[in-house]
Amino acid sequence: MNLPYYKLTPEGVPVLSSEQINRITDQLVRELQPELYYSQIDAVSLSLVMKHLSGWHFAGRYLSKSGSLLGLACFQGGTMPITDETRTATDTLAVPPRSILVDRRLFQKEYERMFRFTLAHEIGHALLHEHFASSSANMQAYQEQGNQRRLEDTAERFGIREKKELNTAYDWIEWQANAFASSLLMPKTLIRQTRNLVFSERIPYMEFLNELCITVTDVFKVSHTAAFYRLKELDIAPEDSHILPNGVIAEKGL
């Protein structure tokens, strides 16, 4: 896959805006599944993306006892601890270079949407962060910060933190992988096409927005939360809108 040129920080972190990431993923999907733009809108095939991810391998393993580690992109290879299905016994796994691992729990049908977001997140790392990962010092610092932030990031897996909260290389790397996953699974052009198909002036905007969010969830095989954040990012959902405990999207004050 040929990516457009982008600058790097001294640490090797890509300098990319949300719009640049949107263009990268849109180009990628257009190359692999052009029919989505010209016939019936459907979910992006991650297996097709993986097939064209040159030199990368994919496997499912139970990655941690707590279940908090959902996936990882292993650039250099080596050995890593894994666990069994009960998450009680530990073992080591020899991981070849350029491997993407996803926790086996996510292979269950009920976790399909989380599986897709996790895999897309790791594909984002694989495509965007190889230069950063080539430094052992970078990866050591990344691992240390990851151990501190893993539970938080798992809880916010489908959200994209405000850029003003991004202070470290780890923060930026994770933000980019989440932004990449969101835009790969829900390409900007296809979301706007879906919006035009669903939109009706005969119903209140918030009612339309809830119907659109459900449609995006079903068509693109993402979580309701991921769909909502994507609609906010694309300025389709109002900035002050939020999801109520019952899953309904409402305006501020409701």
Side-chain angles (χ1 to χ4, degrees):
M1 298 178 183
N2 296 319
L3 298 181
Y5 170 80
Y6 48 78
K7 295 181 180 179
L8 298 170
T9 69
E11 294 174 296
V13 178
V15 179
L16 290 168
S17 66
S18 297
E19 187 54 39
Q20 286 174 302
I21 293 174
N22 279 327
R23 289 199 294 268
I24 289 171
T25 53
D26 190 71
Q27 175 185 326
L28 175 59
V29 177
R30 284 181 184 274
E31 289 178 359
L32 298 181
Q33 292 182 273
E35 69 277 6
L36 298 184
Y37 294 84
Y38 306 113
S39 55
Q40 183 174 352
I41 298 173
D42 203 353
V44 173
S45 170
L46 293 185
S47 60
L48 193 58
V49 176
M50 281 299 304
K51 181 179 178 181
H52 287 79
L53 195 59
S54 179
W56 282 83
H57 314 278
F58 171 75
R61 297 290 188 272
Y62 292 99
L63 299 178
S64 64
K65 284 188 175 182
S66 66
S68 63
L69 181 57
L70 301 182
L72 61 88
C74 185
F75 288 85
Q76 305 302 329
T79 59
M80 64 167 290
I82 58 171
T83 183
D84 64 357
E85 187 173 0
T86 65
R87 300 198 189 271
T88 56
T90 58
D91 198 355
T92 58
L93 174 70
V95 182
R98 300 167 72 86
S99 293
I100 289 177
L101 303 179
V102 173
D103 193 83
R104 283 289 301 177
R105 176 174 63 98
L106 302 189
F107 284 59
Q108 301 174 43
K109 183 64 177 178
E110 61 188 294
Y111 295 116
E112 178 186 21
R113 287 163 169 76
M114 188 179 293
F115 170 87
R116 284 174 56 78
F117 198 95
T118 300
L119 178 55
H121 175 103
E122 303 307 336
I123 291 172
H125 281 312
L127 283 173
L128 300 177
H129 300 141
E130 187 161 13
H131 188 85
F132 175 86
S134 65
S135 164
S136 57
N138 281 349
M139 293 310 294
Q140 181 178 349
Y142 177 87
Q143 183 65 45
E144 291 172 354
Q145 293 176 63
N147 289 337
Q148 297 171 4
R149 300 289 294 275
R150 185 170 295 149
L151 290 177
E152 175 189 342
D153 285 341
T154 299
E156 297 182 354
R157 195 69 163 177
F158 299 119
I160 300 177
R161 292 198 301 273
E162 295 290 337
K163 285 188 177 181
K164 63 184 178 183
E165 300 177 19
L166 306 178
N167 300 313
T168 67
Y170 174 85
D171 292 334
W172 279 104
I173 291 291
E174 289 303 300
W175 177 84
Q176 289 174 356
N178 276 341
F180 181 95
S182 179
S183 58
L184 176 65
L185 295 176
M186 296 169 279
K188 179 178 179 179
T189 301
L190 297 185
I191 293 297
R192 294 200 178 281
Q193 289 180 6
T194 304
R195 177 198 181 279
N196 294 339
L197 290 172
V198 175
F199 182 72
S200 172
E201 294 181 349
R202 293 176 294 180
I203 61 175
Y205 192 81
M206 294 308 293
E207 184 177 335
F208 148 74
L209 186 60
N210 277 277
E211 181 179 345
L212 175 61
C213 194
I214 292 171
T215 301
V216 170
T217 297
D218 291 342
V219 171
F220 294 92
K221 296 181 181 178
V222 296
S223 76
H224 189 72
T225 306
F228 170 67
Y229 275 110
R230 183 60 167 156
L231 294 179
K232 285 191 73 171
E233 182 190 2
L234 296 176
D235 296 323
I236 296 173
E239 179 60 32
D240 62 355
S241 60
H242 60 285
I243 299 180
L244 299 175
N246 62 1
V248 173
I249 300 172
E251 294 179 283
K252 184 178 181 180
L254 297 179

